[in-house]
Amino acid sequence: VQLQASGGGLVQAGGSLRLSCAGSGSIFSINTMGWSRQAPGKQRELVAEMHSGGSTNYADSVKGRFTISRDNAKNTVYLEMNTLKPEDTAVYYCKLHQRRWAKDYDYWGQGTQVTVSS
């Protein structure tokens, strides 16, 4: 499985960005795709994730500002980020989780930098 993320960049506080992550390879129809981020000197944290069935999970810090969506036919997940804050600055990583034969598989994309200036 390969995950290709895109859409990061530099934006002013209050602005918006949209991240995309396209998956390819042996992706099962039931899976969870999402985004985590890692700021300098901090641990990687979950931002948002979405199950192929439609359920979502958001970090409290992004609720109401970020929206995750996906296109199951394209194995692609999106993250619409609005009202960005300097504390959202981080490398954003796309992740795919799937399970088969009682075994969990986790895959990560290469990361895309998001920088929010004050």
Side-chain angles (χ1 to χ4, degrees):
V1 173
Q2 293 80 42
L3 300 173
Q4 182 66 44
S6 61
L10 173 64
V11 65
Q12 287 188 332
S16 300
L17 281 174
R18 187 183 193 224
L19 305 182
S20 299
C21 176
S24 61
S26 299
I27 297 175
F28 310 146
S29 59
I30 298 174
N31 59 67
T32 299
M33 295 186 76
W35 299 88
S36 293
R37 66 187 180 187
Q38 188 165 19
K42 295 187 177 181
Q43 288 189 329
R44 190 174 296 190
E45 61 174 359
L46 174 70
V47 175
E49 59 187 0
M50 187 171 188
H51 189 266
S52 50
S55 61
T56 58
N57 181 37
Y58 291 92
D60 288 342
S61 60
V62 307
K63 284 181 180 177
R65 301 188 297 121
F66 292 10
T67 302
I68 191 169
S69 61
R70 59 185 290 169
D71 183 333
N72 289 339
K74 295 181 179 180
N75 291 318
T76 300
V77 64
Y78 307 95
L79 186 67
E80 187 75 34
M81 304 184 292
N82 297 315
T83 319
L84 282 160
K85 304 175 181 180
E87 50 263 43
D88 294 317
T89 296
V91 178
Y92 284 68
Y93 296 92
C94 173
K95 178 184 177 181
L96 183 146
H97 171 83
Q98 56 189 12
R99 185 175 176 87
R100 174 166 277 190
W101 307 117
K103 189 173 182 180
D104 292 309
Y105 297 85
D106 290 316
Y107 304 92
W108 292 93
Q110 83 282 12
T112 184
Q113 177 71 45
V114 171
T115 302
V116 184
S117 62
S118 58

